[in-house]
Amino acid sequence: MQVLFVSAALTRSKRAANLEAEVVKGMVGMIRSRLMSVPRIRFVERNVVNNPPQLIDSCFVNAQRLPQSSHTLQQKERLRESDKMVSEVLSSQAIVLGCPVYSYGIPLPLLVWLQSIQRQGKTFELADGKRYGRLHDKMVLAVMSELDAGGSASARQLDYLREKFALLGVRKFEVVRQLLDRQSTPSR
């Protein structure tokens, strides 16, 4: 089994990093307990902050609309990164999102990653004017770290993430909330 861990956390204090490590350790235990029959779990990490995906541009959009045999060299190069991200998603049975709430929104690198994995013919199909996701067998676990216990910002984030993954066919979407104190926030 493969688990893809997509981290969107900005540089943090050691304390925050330790908290995240504890949460991830707990998630690994939770995933293992749900999949007792799986003897080995392989983790793949994609840090979208340290290695941000390219923004979606006209070259990317145009390349997606053409058959692969018609791609120019520039279009092939432009889709290469997305192809790798899609391959990581398709090879994984579970996707764990490290999703902090900054300025009441989803970090841009995570949004771009999410846009980059939405590929017709790979993660979804169009038929009869409708979109059919192909990720039915995937489980997504969003780890939301936030300062505000009220959670209105993370609730909006969760709604957005649930909707996007539902469009890709994901039926199992779970959430772990990590409430941070002021000393464990990102350094400024």
Side-chain angles (χ1 to χ4, degrees):
M1 171 182 192
Q2 180 170 300
V3 176
L4 174 61
F5 180 58
V6 182
S7 176
L10 299 173
T11 306
R12 305 166 315 260
S13 67
K14 280 188 179 182
R15 185 162 184 226
N18 290 339
L19 282 171
E20 183 178 272
E22 285 178 36
V23 171
V24 169
K25 192 178 191 183
M27 290 183 310
V28 170
M30 184 178 77
I31 291 168
R32 280 197 174 117
S33 69
R34 291 179 185 202
L35 302 165
M36 295 289 272
S37 62
V38 179
R40 220 174 103 228
I41 298 177
R42 178 174 175 253
F43 285 88
V44 173
E45 184 175 350
R46 176 165 288 276
N47 187 314
V48 295
V49 172
N50 293 341
N51 188 16
Q54 293 180 29
L55 294 175
I56 304 302
D57 59 10
S58 61
C59 182
F60 182 92
V61 172
N62 292 334
Q64 285 193 93
R65 293 180 181 160
L66 296 172
Q68 196 169 3
S69 59
S70 301
H71 288 165
T72 66
L73 188 58
Q74 181 185 13
Q75 289 171 328
K76 287 177 186 177
E77 181 63 33
R78 182 61 186 90
L79 289 178
R80 186 171 288 129
E81 178 186 52
S82 173
D83 288 339
K84 183 170 181 178
M85 289 184 275
V86 166
S87 177
E88 290 170 350
V89 168
L90 294 176
S91 299
S92 300
Q93 287 70 36
I95 302 164
V96 178
L97 302 174
C99 189
V101 177
Y102 296 130
S103 301
Y104 304 102
I106 297 170
L108 180 61
L110 185 58
L111 287 174
V112 176
W113 174 83
L114 192 52
Q115 290 171 338
S116 297
I117 66 165
Q118 295 181 45
R119 298 279 301 278
Q120 185 175 347
K122 295 184 182 221
T123 56
F124 72 91
E125 293 292 338
L126 290 178
D128 304 322
K130 294 183 180 177
R131 184 176 175 153
Y132 298 94
R134 300 175 98 187
L135 304 183
H136 300 289
D137 60 338
K138 311 295 178 199
M139 178 178 108
V140 175
L141 180 61
V143 180
M144 309 293 290
S145 56
E146 59 188 323
L147 286 172
D148 178 19
S152 62
S154 63
R156 286 190 301 275
Q157 265 188 315
L158 284 173
D159 290 344
Y160 179 84
L161 290 171
R162 268 193 189 101
E163 177 187 337
K164 292 302 177 192
F165 278 103
L167 288 170
L168 294 173
V170 171
R171 296 177 181 147
K172 298 176 220 160
F173 187 95
E174 297 186 29
V175 178
V176 173
R177 282 210 163 114
Q178 177 185 13
L179 187 61
L180 302 175
D181 60 26
R182 296 273 174 207
Q183 283 105 12
S184 62
T185 59
S187 48
R188 299 185 201 277

